[in-house]
Every structure is written in C-alpha cells, then in structure tokens.
Amino acid sequence: MSQQGYVAAPPYSQAQPGMGAYQGGFGSGPTQPLYGHYGGPPQAFNAPPAGKMHLIVLNRTLFLFMLMCMSFRVRVMTQVIEDDQVKQGGQVFTTNIRGQVPPLVTTDFTVTDQGNASPRFIRCTTYSLPCTADLAKQCQVPLAAIIKPFASLPKNETPLYVVNHGDTGPVRCNRCKAYMCPYMQFIDGGRRYQCGFCNCVNEVPVFYFQHLDHMGRRVDFYERPELSLGSYEFVATLDYCKNNKPPNPPAYIFMIDVSYNNIKSGLVKLICDELKTLLEKLPREEGMDTSAIKVGFVTYNKVLHFYNVKSTLAQPQMMVVSDTAEMFVPLLDGFLVNYQDSRAVIYNLLDQIPDMFADTAESETVFAPVIQAGVEAFKAAECSGKLFIFHSSMPTAEAPGKLKNRDDKKLVNTDKEKTLFQPQKGVYEQLSKDCVASGCCVDLFLFPSQYTDIATMADVPSHTGGSVYKYSNFQVPADHFLRDLRKDVQKSIGFDAIMRVRTSTGFRATDFFGGIYMNNTTDVEMAAVDCDKGMTVEFKHDDTLSEETGALMQCALLYTTISGQRRLRIHNLSLNCSSQLSELYKSCETDSLINFFAKSAYRAILNQPLKNVREILVNQTAHMLACYRKNCASPSAASQLILPDAMKVFPVYMNSLMKTAPLVGSTELSTDDRAHQRLSVMAMGVEDTQLLLYPRLIPLHNIDVNSEKPATPVRCSEERLTDSGIFLLENGQSMFLWLGQASSPDLIQSLFNLPSLAHLQGHMCALPELDNPLSRKVRSIISGLLEKRSNSMKLQIVRQKDKPEMLFRQFLVEDKGLHGGASYMDFLCYVHREIRQLLT
C-alpha cells in the first residue's frame, strides 16, 4: 500500500498512443450528450451477450498478475469493510467538523449531531469540493449528495427536535429564504445576522433577539436546536398550507383486485385476514394512544366496489361504479373512517369479501381508474394519503389505461431496447401529476404469473414516492409478502411533501434522481416520502468556491405528519473546498459514488442504447482513476494500477453495476424484472445500493454459536465456496442458503432435523424451529437481517449442483456474469488498459 493510493501491478507492455481528453459522462439534463469519448468513439466494452473482453493476449506474466490480484481482491472489498468496522465500529461520530468523511454504511456507529446532519440523512460523493468548475471537469468525479430526509434513527440516537415559533413561523433569510441554522453569523450585538448561504445581512425579529457572549455566540445557542444542530423540524404556519387551511390527517385506502386468479390462489383471503391485525398497528404520533389515519376499502375487477363502513351501520354497504371512464366516489360519509370507531363493521367487511367473490369468473381488470378513484377520494376528503393496491395482471379491460403486451425480446441489444423501459404515454403520465397534486402516494403489490408491463404500471408509484413489490407465481403461505405489507403500513412517513435544496454561493443543485415529480427545476415534489426513500442531487459550479468558507447545503422538506400537522424538516451540511485534487480524492465516499452512477445509468437507459451507457460507465471510471494517477499519486512504473485509497473498491462496485439486470442485454432476463429493478434502485439510499451491488456472503458452517459478534462475510466469489460449507447470501432483495454437497451430516441434522443432505426436499423456503444452538443462531442471523432490510426477502434454500443453484450464482458478483459481463479480474485489466491509454 503506498501512502498515495492502492497499488497493483499489471504487466501491460503496449499502450495505444493518441488518446485525447475525455469529454462526457452522464449530463445534467436530456439536452446534454449522454456518452463520453476520448477524441474518437469509445472502445467497446461489450459485457453482453457473450461477455467477451478485448484483452491483450494472456501471457504468463499477465497470468501471474491475475493471481497476484486475487490476493489483493481479498483485501479489497471484505477487508475494507472489516477494517472500517474495526477502526470506527462502536464509536461515536460527532458532526461538529466541516467536511468530515463518515464511516462506511456497513459500519456500526452512533451519531451525535453537533451542527451537521447525520450521515443517515445525507451522504456525499466527496466531502471536499473542487474550488473551480475546471478542476471538477478535470477529475470527472460527480459532485452529489444522497438525501434520505426520513431515515430511521437507531434507538440510542436522539429523535429530531421540533421547534415552534408560533404564528410568526420559522426565521429565514430575506433574500435566499434559507432557514435559520448553525451557519448564520450573528452581528451587531445580536440585532442582525449574516446569512451563510447568500451573505445577506438580515434584521433579527424582535421575538428572536438574544445577546451574544464574549465569543460572539448567542447565549441561548445550546437551547435552540436550529442554532446548534444539523437536523431539526419547525412547525409550519398556515402560510405553508394549501389554501391557508391546516391539513386533515392522511388516509390509507386498501384496494384489492378480486379477479378470478386472486380469489383462487387464496390471496384475497390472506390480505383480508392480515388487515384485521395490521389495522391495529397503523402509525401514530409519539405519545398518542391511537392513529389519526383514516382508512377506506375498495375491491375491483372490471368495475369498482366502494364500501360504506360507517360506525353506526350494522353491516357494511357496497356501492358499485361501473363507468370507469368517468371515475367518481359514490359516497363521502362512511368511506374514509376512523378504524377504532368502525372496527366491528370493518371486521365484518373483511370476513365477507372472500365469500362475496368466491364464485367470480371475471379475469379482466382495470388499473388506472383504481388510482383515479383514490385521487378523487382524497380530494373529496381534503386530505393526502396512500393507496395500497393489490393487483395481479395486466389491465386489459376496456377502460382508461388499458395496456397491450409489448414485451418483445427481439428489441434486446438493439437501439430500440430502451422502449422496454419507457412507460406507455398518456393516461399514466397525467395520473402521476394528479396524484402528486392531491398528495396521493401509490404502493403497488403485484402478483404476476406473466408479463404485466411493470415499466408502465409502476410509473405512478415511482413518481409519487411509493413502492412496487413483486411476487411472481404467488402461492399461499407467503411470509415475505406479509412482512413487506406490515413494514409498509407501519413505516414512518410524511405526506404531500415538497423539497428544496439550497446551497451557498458558487455552486447549486442542478439535477435530481428519485421517486419524485418535478414541475420546475428547483422544487422536488413527492406525494409521500418514507424512511427508505433516498433522493440523489447533483451539484455544478456557477462560480469559484472558497477554501476558507467551504460550501454549505440545506435541504428543507415541507410535509404533513401522520396526525395532520404541517412541518418543515431541515437538514444542513457543510463541506470543505480545495484547489488540490488530492484532497477531493481523499474525501471521496465510494458507496455514495456508486449510488450516483447507478441512478445516472438507469435514467440514461430510457434514452440511450445500453451499449453507450456501459461505455460511459467504463470511460468515466477510467477517467477518474487516470486523473488521480496523473495528479495525485507518487511517480511509479506505468504498469502499476494505482487507485485512490478512498476508492479502492470502486471498480468492484462498477463491474457489479454493469452486470445488473437493467444493464445486461440478455433475452434470458424477464423485461418486468429488469424494469422493476431499475425503478427500485432509482429510489434507494446509499445503504441499499451498496448491498445490492455487493451482496453479503456469510459462512455458517464455522460460526461461533456462543459469540455475540456478527458473522464476518467473505468475498462474493465462487472461490470462497467449499463443498463442505454452508453459506448465507443476501443483497437486500434476495436471500439464499447454499448447502455444499459434502455438508457435514451433523450440520444438516442441526439445521433441518434430517440425517443427510439427500433427505432435503426441494423448494424449502424456511428453516424449521429446532432447539439446538446452531439452529437458534442461524435463525437469529436470518431474522436480524430481515428486520434490518427495507424489503423482506424470501429465503431460497439451494443445494450445490442442483438446478436452482444457477439463481444463486448470479449474485456472486466477482465472477463472470451468467447473462454476460466480465469477472472482476477481467474488468480490472480492461480499466487499467483504458487508464494507460488516457495517460499516454
């Protein structure tokens, strides 16, 4: 390890001359070219379909280099994660230092807010911005922040303080409208303050005046969260409310597809049974006995059935709307009700629904009118809320939003492949606008048995801050679906949200990625935002930044709480600025960088051929590393591959990203699965993309059953598997228990209560509850992971060399991709060659 960076030494001997400067990357908008080149067209890095690599002829030296790199790889990913855990795990991360790089997302640490937002709320691609646009262009490192405004905090961290300034509302700068925060400088004996964002000098309102101490700090500094903390909330005044009226509490509407397949599979009964328990656990404000959220129920196939569940009724009443072209809600009083008041009528309804439709033969469904009904219901009740839609097939009934099958494998690996990811225009586009305008968030639980055009059906959820859950070939029981539903109903959430990111002079937010809607270039709108949703914001220079003052950002989110209070949630962060590129590279955060690149690439595939998008990713990787090598690293032999210390695992992530389903043009992958993953990643925070791109592979055959210490993951490669081993693999979306063919009978007995592996039945998806230390330990590891992840994961148990093992192997991201894509070693060699060409 050199002091300047991470070194490996490939013995490439021939560099190709004549490569000019790199110009390109993922632009800030649709008008910018979305592929980069070095003077001429880029060298093709065609991962799919054959996964061939145009590498220099493999000679003995190169072979030795590869072997040498194997040992480096062991240190690279799992070692970097482990080293950070050893160094910073269990420590307190105090946010009082500008531009401080936080521990990795994989590290266990506690945050104390002392003036900057916790990294749980905001993470940056680098914590030291280049002072000029020219420097930024030179290094090609994207300048971005990933913001999770509602991120969950561990129990040992203080929840956000709520500040209430009464009718006057929060104090803000007259010029740039930034909210009072630790970056405001009080002057003139405390009578005025200078804004840290635009330098405007403002009068301090009379009610807010306070004297300054001998250091020029207000004497109430520690008593006011907005002066001393990085994150806090303000109670908003009526000026921040629609029509200057306080909002009503939000509502949840459960909309169940009661077509033939869903009745026959037992899904409708399962949902109705689960709702009886789940409605008792609706989210409620801290200190409140009951939830203020109202609930409503709709069932549908070709027509919609609304239910009156008013507390005074002896029986629920059904009202049918068959005109789906002009959707309206047939009742106002009794549709959205308080669950506690109407519990008996609701139980009655949930018992009746499966029987009511038991003999249905209707297989066609509508979809867009279902969402429209929710929008109309929220408008009529003058509230925001969420639709929980349980649906199983493509909407083919005659109605607005009817879809046709457009799944065409012949488009894969052509310039028209992008159309597979694009939603069908028209009805759904307008529906997204209507939903955001009325604060209607859509969560879609999809149970398909064939192609359903997720690219279109998920368009509204993905623009309203909602989620899409997919359960192919659904069968009861379905623990992972019920876990998802429980988490989804109970998660902390804000409604009818609008977010603005302000910055100090010299740079500004120019581009936004996420489950969002934008009517203009500055305001990010979301019908709802929950604790798992992350927005990625890109910044560009519009002037020179100062090393002395640094750079500031403030994320202000206006939203409605679950009890109907309008609030402003504020997150502040201060970064360093430097004219030295070495400082920028030293302050990089690889996990955040890869989140940015994943979202940039996944958005670009809507308009670009996949081949171009993959080329951009390789070129920008090579360019960032070549710039580091040229400007920051110690002089060394040209044959050495030198990576910045903070980015030494970046190529692993990048290669893994290039092998994800959306970016691999393979006819073997389902179009719906590819579209679903693309949309899921667009709304992810840093933790989720990190785990998706580098799964945890945990050996279980040698764990210490008495230790409280978490099991240590190993490199995600087939080389780490052993015939006698048992491994758990998870990436936040999928979970596998892999059993080596020579697994010890004792282990099999302890885990499955079977004498040997041969006795294990196929299609097992749960471990039996056995009373022995190993069984308890393994089940505890699995339940701990399920608890921690934002999605539930269905456990798939696979035996070595059985056919289902192929599913498991596609997650071994350091190996060659099953559907195309290079092994990590080949990718590293290829990138190194590109770097050398840039430097020559």
Side-chain angles (χ1 to χ4, degrees), residues 12-62:
Y12 292 136
S13 53
Q14 298 167 349
Q16 294 183 16
M19 289 315 221
Y22 174 87
Q23 316 162 353
F26 294 107
S28 293
T31 55
Q32 298 207 8
L34 278 187
Y35 78 93
H37 52 88
Y38 319 144
Q43 299 257 335
F45 176 76
N46 287 329
K52 298 288 186 207
M53 222 15 117
H54 304 298
L55 290 175
I56 294 163
V57 177
L58 194 65
N59 55 30
R60 185 170 178 277
T61 330
L62 181 56

Side-chain angles (χ1 to χ4, degrees), residues 451-471:
Y451 174 75
T452 56
D453 192 358
I454 282 186
T456 302
M457 291 190 71
D459 192 49
V460 178
S462 70
H463 280 100
T464 59
S467 305
V468 179
Y469 302 91
K470 179 170 176 284
Y471 312 93

Side-chain angles (χ1 to χ4, degrees), residues 151-169:
S152 301
L153 296 178
K155 289 186 171 66
N156 61 347
E157 290 180 15
T158 312
L160 299 198
Y161 288 97
V162 181
V163 179
N164 190 347
H165 287 324
D167 294 341
T168 53

Side-chain angles (χ1 to χ4, degrees), residues 285-338:
E285 287 287 2
E286 196 77 34
M288 303 250 303
D289 293 336
T290 59
S291 173
I293 293 172
K294 295 200 164 174
V295 294
F297 302 88
V298 173
T299 55
Y300 66 95
N301 37 51
K302 272 205 308 200
V303 298
L304 279 76
H305 323 105
F306 294 80
Y307 296 94
N308 184 345
V309 284
K310 198 173 178 180
S311 58
T312 53
L313 294 174
Q315 284 281 335
Q317 296 171 345
M318 178 204 279
M319 296 189 183
V320 180
V321 176
S322 52
D323 181 4
T324 51
E326 292 293 327
M327 185 43 64
F328 67 98
V329 180
L331 73 157
L332 295 180
D333 189 28
F335 177 58
L336 293 178
V337 298
N338 180 294

Side-chain angles (χ1 to χ4, degrees), residues 2-231:
S2 80
Q3 287 186 325
Q4 290 291 337
Y6 177 77
V7 184
Y12 292 136
S13 53
Q14 298 167 349
Q16 294 183 16
M19 289 315 221
Y22 174 87
Q23 316 162 353
F26 294 107
S28 293
T31 55
Q32 298 207 8
L34 278 187
Y35 78 93
H37 52 88
Y38 319 144
Q43 299 257 335
F45 176 76
N46 287 329
K52 298 288 186 207
M53 222 15 117
H54 304 298
L55 290 175
I56 294 163
V57 177
L58 194 65
N59 55 30
R60 185 170 178 277
T61 330
L62 181 56
F63 181 64
L64 289 172
F65 154 63
M66 285 183 153
L67 285 179
M68 186 188 83
C69 254
M70 295 294 179
S71 62
F72 272 104
R73 276 195 296 171
V74 180
R75 292 197 58 227
V76 170
M77 183 56 88
T78 49
Q79 197 65 45
V80 164
I81 289 172
E82 205 176 327
D83 288 350
D84 198 68
Q85 177 63 37
V86 168
K87 185 178 165 191
Q88 306 195 74
Q91 304 287 314
V92 173
F93 179 76
T94 309
T95 70
N96 56 349
I97 300 169
R98 186 177 83 191
Q100 186 179 202
V101 183
L104 297 180
V105 289
T106 43
T107 298
D108 224 358
F109 62 100
T110 302
V111 180
T112 300
D113 183 342
Q114 288 193 1
N116 283 300
S118 160
R120 306 195 200 288
F121 295 122
I122 307 182
R123 279 185 178 263
C124 295
T125 51
T126 177
Y127 287 80
S128 184
L129 301 183
C131 281
T132 64
D134 286 345
L135 267 182
K137 194 174 175 186
Q138 189 184 340
C139 68
Q140 289 286 329
V141 173
L143 311 177
I146 295 88
I147 304 172
K148 265 175 95 170
F150 267 80
S152 301
L153 296 178
K155 289 186 171 66
N156 61 347
E157 290 180 15
T158 312
L160 299 198
Y161 288 97
V162 181
V163 179
N164 190 347
H165 287 324
D167 294 341
T168 53
V171 179
R172 37 194 320 204
C173 171
N174 292 328
R175 185 195 289 161
C176 71
K177 303 299 180 192
Y179 292 90
M180 182 54 67
C181 68
Y183 315 137
M184 304 302 191
Q185 185 67 44
F186 287 87
I187 53 176
D188 194 14
R191 285 183 287 276
R192 298 191 297 163
Y193 68 92
Q194 184 171 21
C195 174
F197 294 88
C198 70
N199 297 320
C200 172
V201 175
N202 299 268
E203 297 292 325
V204 171
V206 176
F207 86 93
Y208 202 69
F209 172 78
Q210 188 52 272
H211 294 286
L212 307 184
D213 64 15
H214 64 288
M215 292 167 67
R217 201 157 65 174
R218 285 173 58 120
V219 296
D220 62 352
F221 177 80
Y222 289 112
E223 291 156 35
R224 291 197 179 271
E226 72 274 24
L227 299 182
S228 54
L229 299 178
S231 298

